[in-house]
């Protein structure tokens, strides 16, 4: 089993906010938003890990913590097995190793600059190419890595002259320019036309295989997570509720929330998926329910669910679920500490 490139342990982020949502110090806060609570996960090389959950479940906050754009309230972050001090500013070296791709390529590209300018920046900022021929060759090579060929046809194009899929490929090329080890892709296809989503997902899958990248694929769409990822981590209200090999989690979901997500996913075999909203809405992140946060929507809720937070129970090999339903049978807690849901790399399908 290879060392994960990036790993987090019990990562927590609470936003302290004042009145109209202004961020303040915790001591002065009117209330605290529990955006991410005790999340553990590991991103091995050549492996796609999907984080799945509804809007507001903490996915983007998790990505921003992993990118070190925000500092955690508590918890550890390890890059290639070494602890990264939480309070210290993000170094250029960290930014080179861990790159982010965002949902909206239009917003992440500057409309007044062409493709060549966007792709020259990372080489210049990180001192990775000599101006002139070396830079031109490296820009052409990175365009080829995202299948925008011939490179010459794209260099002078401005963002508005590209299709949505081409724009997202340019954003991915910009991330790849610095030879990162980890890509954090936050809903990278959600804003694209359905017809071009598959092409971008297949590009991510090629990059995993060809360049052995560790990819975090964030999505609200569990079907696309099953398509692309080896491991699926399901988040609900800031916590991991289930994690394991993608096919197991989607074929034999152990947590009632994952079951709900799957019953709401479009499926050609089934005429009428349930609407997620018909089964209630996620709880307030300011005052989440006691015990299991899903219990207010759960058809199986029992007394214990309000009293104690369910620990991670083993639901199969490399498959864990934080649900008291598993606590009744033979299954043993995968960990002593409630909420430690690190699926590790045991779910790898290679
Ligand atoms: N900077 C912030 N200040 C206060 N609350 C925030 C901030 N960023 C995110 N949140 C809150 O944290 C929770 C999780 O948000 P987010 O990580 O964006 O979820 P997702 O990406 O899954 O939709 C939400 O309740 C959101 O309102
Ligand atoms: Mg988000």
């Amino acid at each position: 089993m290879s060392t994960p490139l990036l790993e987090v342990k019990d990562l927590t982020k609470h936003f302290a906010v004042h009145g109209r949502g202004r961020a303040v110090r915790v001591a002065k806060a009117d209330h605290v938003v529990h955006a991410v609570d005790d999340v553990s996960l590991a991103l091995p090389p050549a492996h796609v890990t999907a984080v799945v959950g509804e809007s507001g479940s903490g996915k983007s906050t998790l990505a921003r913590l992993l990118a070190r754009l925000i500092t955690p309230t508590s918890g550890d972050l390890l890059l290639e097995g070494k602890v990264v001090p939480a309070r210290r500013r993000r170094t250029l070296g960290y930014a080179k190793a861990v790159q982010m791709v965002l949902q909206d390529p239009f917003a992440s590209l500057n409309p007044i600059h062409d493709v060549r300018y966007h792709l020259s920046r990372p080489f210049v900022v990180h001192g990775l190419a000599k101006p002139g021929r070396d830079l031109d060759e490296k820009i052409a090579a990175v365009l080829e890595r995202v299948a925008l060929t011939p490179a010459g046809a794209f260099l002078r194009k401005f963002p508005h002259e590209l299709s949505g899929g081409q724009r997202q490929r340019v954003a991915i090329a910009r991330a790849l320019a610095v030879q990162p080890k980890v890509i954090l892709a936050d809903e990278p296809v959600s804003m694209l036309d359905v017809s071009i989503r598959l092409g971008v997902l297949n590009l991510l899958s090629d990059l995993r295989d060809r360049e052995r990248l560790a990819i975090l694929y964030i999505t609200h769409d569990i079907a696309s997570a099953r398509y692309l990822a080896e491991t699926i981590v399901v988040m609900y209200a800031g916590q991991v509720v289930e994690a394991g090999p993608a096919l197991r989690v989607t074929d034999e979901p152990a947590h009632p929330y994952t079951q709900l997500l799957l019953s709401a996913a479009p499926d050609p075999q089934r005429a009428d998926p349930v609407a997620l909203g018909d089964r209630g809405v996620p709880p307030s992140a300011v005052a989440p329910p006691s015990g299991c946060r899903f219990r207010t929507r759960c058809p199986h809720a029992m007394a214990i669910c309000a009293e104690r937070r369910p620990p991670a129970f083993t639901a199969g090999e490399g498959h864990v679920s934080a649900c008291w339903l598993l606590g009744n049978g033979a299954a043993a807690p995968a960990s002593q500490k409630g909420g430690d849901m690190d699926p590790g790399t045991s779910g790898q399908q290679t």
Side-chain angles (χ1 to χ4, degrees):
M1 192 171 81
S2 44
T3 314
L5 293 172
L6 193 61
E7 190 173 3
V8 289
K9 292 180 181 167
D10 304 326
L11 203 64
T12 295
K13 181 67 184 180
H14 291 167
F15 291 106
V17 291
H18 188 64
R20 296 179 183 184
R22 198 159 50 83
V24 292
R25 298 230 317 272
V26 177
K28 286 192 184 169
D30 285 352
H31 54 256
V32 170
V33 179
H34 298 250
V36 168
D37 262 327
D38 275 332
V39 170
S40 298
L41 58 86
L43 306 179
H47 193 103
V48 177
T49 305
V51 170
V52 181
E54 279 164 284
S55 173
S57 55
K59 306 181 298 296
S60 294
T61 303
L62 178 63
R64 291 168 68 217
L65 287 166
L66 289 170
R68 300 200 64 222
L69 297 173
I70 53 176
T71 55
T73 305
S74 62
D76 288 326
L77 188 151
L78 293 84
L79 181 65
E80 298 190 281
K82 293 196 193 74
V83 175
V84 180
R87 297 281 151 200
R88 200 187 295 162
R89 277 193 57 178
R90 183 171 77 134
T91 60
L92 207 55
Y94 192 90
K96 185 173 176 298
V98 182
Q99 284 279 313
M100 231 174 143
V101 173
L102 300 175
Q103 181 172 9
D104 182 359
F106 234 139
S108 62
L109 300 177
N110 189 330
I112 67 165
H113 289 302
D114 64 11
V115 168
R116 189 183 183 287
Y117 178 87
H118 280 100
L119 297 183
S120 67
R121 292 302 296 159
F123 291 112
V124 171
V125 169
H126 291 268
L128 297 171
K130 292 191 271 304
R133 205 154 127 218
D134 184 38
L135 181 59
D136 290 344
E137 282 172 7
K138 285 184 167 141
I139 292 173
V142 83
L143 280 168
E144 272 163 29
R145 280 158 78 197
V146 297
L148 290 178
T149 50
F154 293 95
L155 290 173
R156 292 290 165 208
K157 291 237 161 90
F158 287 86
H160 72 270
E161 297 175 302
L162 302 169
S163 72
Q166 290 169 341
R167 275 195 291 272
Q168 194 58 298
R169 283 171 195 266
V170 171
I172 294 169
R174 181 175 55 184
L176 292 176
V178 298
Q179 299 288 4
K181 300 198 160 104
V182 181
I183 296 268
L184 309 171
D186 189 356
E187 306 256 13
V189 301
S190 304
M191 304 240 330
L192 304 181
D193 278 356
V194 174
S195 59
I196 52 178
R197 282 181 190 170
L198 206 56
V200 173
L201 291 181
N202 289 338
L203 169 63
L204 292 174
S205 140
D206 285 348
L207 291 169
R208 165 194 59 203
D209 299 338
R210 276 192 278 127
E211 312 202 7
R212 300 190 54 77
L213 289 170
I215 298 179
L216 182 75
Y217 171 61
I218 291 182
T219 182
H220 59 268
D221 171 22
I222 195 165
S224 73
R226 176 186 163 98
Y227 177 76
L228 179 63
E230 283 76 37
T231 299
I232 291 182
V233 175
V234 182
M235 278 184 79
Y236 185 78
Q239 297 174 334
V240 175
V241 294
E242 179 161 3
L247 299 182
R248 269 207 61 103
V249 168
T250 48
D251 284 341
E252 293 170 66
H255 198 284
Y257 178 58
T258 314
Q259 291 162 6
L260 172 64
L261 280 182
L262 283 161
S263 64
D267 178 352
Q269 308 287 311
R270 205 182 41 219
D272 48 346
V274 306
L276 266 185
D278 292 350
R279 304 284 167 90
V281 292
S284 153
V286 173
S290 64
C292 172
R293 291 184 181 173
F294 186 61
R295 71 180 164 82
T296 51
R297 285 168 93 181
C298 184
H300 313 289
M302 306 171 285
I304 192 172
C305 305
E307 288 153 20
R308 287 176 56 202
R309 177 177 172 188
F313 289 101
T314 300
E317 204 184 322
H319 183 187
V320 285
S321 168
C323 176
W324 285 117
L325 288 175
L326 280 91
N328 291 335
S335 69
Q336 292 308 307
K337 188 174 186 299
D340 187 359
M341 297 287 290
D342 183 4
T345 50
S346 52
Q348 211 158 357
Q349 293 167 356
T350 49

